[in-house]
Amino acid sequence: KTLDIEVVDIRKVTGDGKIKAFADVKLSEAYVVKGFKVVNGPTGIFVGMPSKPGKNGQWYETLIPSSDTVREALQHKVLEAYGRETDGVAS
């Protein structure tokens, strides 16, 4: 089985904060998952999975990829779209 991944929207964030963009991803023509984040962390740019705060103040992923391969494919597609993003629309 293969997972078709398409970035349907990417929105760059202006300013000097750690979050550089938000992205929405379509998975296998079945679901659109909102809330991916492109983050500039201590070791460089990475993709944060959609998450929500818990009652204890910590953040928890709401989308957990089934394998490292799937996580890497999602990250690759989002970073690729981030790299070519212009005027709020992935080209």
Side-chain angles (χ1 to χ4, degrees):
K1 295 181 180 180
T2 61
L3 180 65
D4 294 322
I5 301 168
E6 176 188 354
V7 177
V8 293
D9 191 24
I10 189 150
R11 299 162 309 282
K12 282 192 174 179
V13 176
T14 57
D16 295 329
K18 291 182 181 183
I19 296 180
K20 299 301 178 188
F22 291 96
D24 302 335
V25 174
K26 186 188 296 185
L27 303 175
S28 292
E29 297 293 325
Y31 298 98
V32 173
V33 180
K34 296 177 172 271
F36 288 88
K37 296 170 285 303
V38 177
V39 181
N40 189 11
T43 59
I45 297 284
F46 70 94
V47 175
M49 295 293 134
S51 59
K52 67 178 184 175
K55 291 181 180 179
N56 61 0
Q58 291 190 10
W59 286 81
Y60 295 91
E61 289 184 352
T62 57
L63 176 75
I64 301 171
S66 59
S67 69
D68 288 342
T69 303
V70 171
R71 181 180 294 270
E72 289 167 8
L74 285 164
Q75 291 175 349
H76 175 76
K77 287 287 189 175
V78 171
L79 290 175
E80 180 179 77
Y82 173 73
R84 67 175 187 263
E85 188 275 336
T86 57
D87 298 326
V89 179
S91 55

